[in-house]
Amino acid sequence: MRVHPVVYFLLKFLSRAALVLIFIGIPVLLYFLRFEGIGFGAREALGRALSTPTLEVEVGKLALDPFSGLVASGVVVAEKINHGRVLARISRVSVSLNLSELLHRRIVVDSLRLNGAEASIPSGPALDAPRLTVTRIGAEILLLGDKLRVSRFECLAEGIRFEVAGEVLNPLQMVFPEPDKEGGGVDFERVVEEVRKIVDKVVFAKGPPHVRADFRIDATNPSGVEVPHFSVNVAQVAYGDAVLRDLEVLGEYDDGIAKISRWRMRDAEGGFQASGYWDTSAAYGEMSVLSGLNPFPILAAAGVFKMPEGVSFESAPELGAEVRVEMVGGRLSPRVTGHFRAAAIDVTGVRLVSPQLLFAWHNGVFHAREVGFSVGRGEFEGILWVGPSDYRLSARTTIPPVEFLPLLKDRGAREFIGNMEFADLPEIECSLRARSPDFATFTGNGSIKLGRTATRGAWIDSGSTDFSIADRCIDYTNLVIRTGPGKGTGAFAYDIGRQEVRLQNIQSTLVPVDVLMWINPQIAQAIRPYRFRANPDVRVNGKVHMKLPKGNDLAIRIESPAGMEYDLLGKTLVFGSTSARVEVKGNSVLANVTRASLMGGVVSMVADVSIDPAKPVFSADVNLTRVDFSKLTNLYFDYDDSKGVVTGRYRFKTRMGQENLMTGNGNLRIEDGNVFAIPWLGPFSTILGGILPGVFYNTARLATADFTVADEKITTPNIEIIGKGFTMYGNGDIYFLNGGLDMNMRINAQGIPGIVFFPVSKILEYHSDGTISDPRWMPRLIPRFPLGGRGSKTKESR
């Protein structure tokens, strides 16, 4: 069949034009529609199609992508009310149109698809509220008449991965709330800001948190939203020093009730699990918690609680709690009950073993019962109440106070408690109340029972007392202390405010030094030289200051029928029945022994002992009345042939431990004694026998002397010895530390022989530079061999 040339040419041209249109025109058109967009009012029409009565949608650009279809970019969603507040800015949306409606020149959107899109959403209802950046948006949204179905919505917002699916009924009638001009309601902006701060501090080492949720909501009733399932999963999260793993939260929200069916996580030491619900309509919720993880790093990182310095747990504690929360007066009012236990807690070196308690907390009031722990051999159990300006404690403990020594800050308390020893456990009960943890506000009462206990080495067999606390003072009453046959009773006050100990009506048959070691060791040391042969009867009243010795004002009365022992000049004096008064005034201890029997005679003494460490001075005034002279000389000079009795007085002063510096003065009178039996006077018996026949066996019955003590020697200017028919006068020094002598003696006859021998009395003067045991008397004017000695000795050798 032949074709007309014109027809052939026309067909050829059309074929070529079609090929050009297909291979060149269509790609060019598609390129233009993709990159330049569709004009002719298409994007405005699409914006109107996507808008609702309450929302206005603007499309920045509408393009045709051969792979994604119709694509809208630069999409802005704003409210038609509320000053056009922008709800979202979306970078890219794929739009699927209803073709049948499009043929009727109507634009109806069937679905929206987002893939890798980004959006900006306000964090609150205010116009200038900070905005959230949402990235990696992937979504498939179907518009089915009055229903909007979100088959998939994924995004990454503030470092959290979200995956949501659900449907919205009546989406065209959705109304967003206006900003609360009165400032009430939930501050979304602040919530978002707090979330941001937390997320900034959190490190998700194994990927971001993953939040999944299914929802169903009717736009006409947004408060009726339903979330049949939601979950939060985090593989690992680090928050400060806390590292949590395998965090999982499962729950649902329906009919205004949010339920958490499972919340669990773990750390390196233990696990945590909880469940609960919150009823929004009733403003009430409950939660059950059981934790075996270490909560303190989490609380410290959140700034809620920081572990005090010096406090540590050997392992994670166990905490179980039932939490009930309700809205009262527009504020949440939680109520918590539960239990707490741990293996051990170290508090500044004090190890609390197996601490445990049952507790309740409500309206700022914390109540704990069955509080218990052990320290060393002792145990503690009690009830604690802590409220606003109201602290209460009822407790019973057998823990020795020395176990808490590392916790004591006060130096005086540390020293006193540190010197205590407990062979038996104490029993302490108390009921205390205070307005604050400051001891000045404490009031209460209790009792103490002690077994075998010591302070500074002074032991008691048992003790008991009741006590009360008020005005920073602890008053101890009904005090009973027993040691062997001794017993002490009375009352005393430990006044921390005034820093003094007040003793009232203390009656004791205990050893005074042991009692005073509990009160003041310096005073105890001052009276330690007074050693009672049996427990004396002691009465004590007054006060002792804990820091300032000048505040001391203590009176002690002692009656000791069995007597006592006292060290003087390195020798021990044994006294019989003794009565004494001791007064402590400031830095001085005044001891007044009003009467004490000694070696057949009577002794009285007034002593003043300084307890000032910087000035350890000791002084005394001693009076002797008819004391057995032979016993006294036997004690101090190791001979007992001198008979008679001695009466005298000695006043002296020295520094404790430095008796060589002693100074003093006094006088002596020896009656009815054998004066010549004194070794350093014995040679004069021979001299007198040669001069005055008949006096060789005669004894001198009376001797007197005044003396002073200084520079390690006793100096006398006026020794006078009177016998039958003669008188002896002397003076000189006796070195009491080594027994050396530097003495002069002169013999005078009495009566007619005295008149006869007076012109030559100077010839009868003798001098001794020997020792008490080897005096070596020699005439001063006529050289002779030594009398009663074993040879000469120089002063240097002495």
Side-chain angles (χ1 to χ4, degrees), residues 221-526:
N221 181 25
S223 61
V225 62
E226 299 177 9
V227 182
H229 169 80
F230 69 85
S231 65
V232 180
N233 295 88
V234 183
Q236 179 175 306
V237 53
Y239 187 42
D241 294 332
V243 179
L244 301 175
R245 299 176 178 86
D246 302 330
L247 188 149
E248 179 185 30
V249 180
L250 300 178
E252 61 181 271
Y253 180 82
D254 186 18
D255 196 20
I257 299 176
K259 296 180 181 179
I260 296 179
S261 58
R262 182 169 65 197
W263 176 10
R264 64 184 182 185
M265 54 187 173
R266 64 182 180 88
D267 64 2
E269 298 187 50
F272 171 93
Q273 57 185 5
S275 62
Y277 72 92
W278 173 256
D279 189 334
T280 57
S281 60
Y284 177 84
E286 295 183 2
M287 176 171 284
S288 298
V289 178
L290 181 61
S291 172
L293 52 74
N294 187 355
F296 302 108
I298 303 173
L299 297 176
V304 176
F305 174 80
K306 184 178 181 181
M307 183 71 73
E309 186 177 354
V311 179
S312 62
F313 284 74
E314 291 189 0
S315 60
E318 178 185 313
L319 174 66
E322 296 291 330
V323 184
R324 295 174 176 82
V325 182
E326 59 182 339
M327 189 73 70
V328 178
R331 299 181 60 182
L332 291 176
S333 176
R335 184 190 300 269
V336 184
T337 59
H339 72 272
F340 170 89
R341 65 172 63 97
I345 305 175
D346 189 281
V347 183
T348 317
V350 179
R351 188 170 182 267
L352 311 182
V353 179
S354 302
Q356 60 183 358
L357 58 88
L358 302 178
F359 66 90
W361 183 82
H362 180 58
N363 286 339
V365 176
F366 177 82
H367 178 238
R369 59 185 179 87
E370 297 185 25
V371 180
F373 59 85
S374 61
V375 178
R377 297 179 297 153
E379 297 181 348
F380 174 94
E381 57 185 30
I383 300 173
L384 176 66
W385 174 287
V386 179
S389 300
D390 188 8
Y391 295 77
R392 308 179 197 177
L393 173 67
S394 295
R396 179 184 181 278
T397 181
T398 57
I399 302 175
V402 291
E403 300 288 356
F404 297 105
L405 189 63
L407 301 180
L408 300 178
K409 304 301 181 183
D410 182 77
R411 182 178 179 181
R414 285 180 59 88
E415 181 180 356
F416 180 77
I417 298 298
N419 286 315
M420 297 190 73
E421 301 176 70
F422 292 85
D424 300 324
L425 293 179
E427 295 182 15
I428 304 173
E429 296 184 5
C430 66
S431 177
L432 306 177
R433 190 166 185 173
R435 297 188 304 274
S436 73
D438 187 354
F439 183 74
T441 68
F442 273 56
T443 60
N445 55 72
S447 64
I448 300 174
K449 293 182 180 179
L450 300 177
R452 183 93 173 130
T453 308
T455 292
R456 303 183 182 97
W459 286 91
I460 64 171
D461 292 334
S462 66
S464 64
T465 182
D466 299 325
F467 68 87
S468 61
I469 300 176
D471 299 326
R472 302 185 67 184
C473 179
I474 308 175
D475 286 299
Y476 296 89
T477 57
N478 301 323
L479 175 67
V480 178
I481 296 176
R482 299 180 185 274
T483 298
K487 177 182 178 182
T489 61
F492 73 97
Y494 190 82
D495 196 325
I496 298 176
R498 296 182 179 180
Q499 291 289 293
E500 64 184 22
V501 178
R502 296 187 295 274
L503 297 98
Q504 182 178 5
N505 297 327
I506 299 294
Q507 301 181 23
S508 169
T509 56
L510 304 171
V511 178
V513 172
D514 292 345
V515 175
L516 288 172
M517 286 297 289
W518 284 67
I519 301 172
N520 188 309
Q522 293 176 324
I523 299 175
Q525 292 299 334

Side-chain angles (χ1 to χ4, degrees), residues 490-569:
F492 73 97
Y494 190 82
D495 196 325
I496 298 176
R498 296 182 179 180
Q499 291 289 293
E500 64 184 22
V501 178
R502 296 187 295 274
L503 297 98
Q504 182 178 5
N505 297 327
I506 299 294
Q507 301 181 23
S508 169
T509 56
L510 304 171
V511 178
V513 172
D514 292 345
V515 175
L516 288 172
M517 286 297 289
W518 284 67
I519 301 172
N520 188 309
Q522 293 176 324
I523 299 175
Q525 292 299 334
I527 70 167
R528 186 174 292 278
Y530 304 90
R531 301 184 300 275
F532 293 92
R533 304 176 69 184
N535 290 4
D537 185 5
V538 181
R539 301 287 189 272
V540 183
N541 284 281
K543 64 180 181 179
V544 177
H545 202 278
M546 290 183 278
K547 290 187 176 180
L548 301 176
K550 66 181 182 180
N552 295 337
D553 187 3
L554 191 66
I556 306 173
R557 185 172 183 84
I558 302 173
E559 296 289 340
S560 178
M564 68 176 184
E565 297 178 353
Y566 174 70
D567 292 336
L568 180 63
L569 298 178

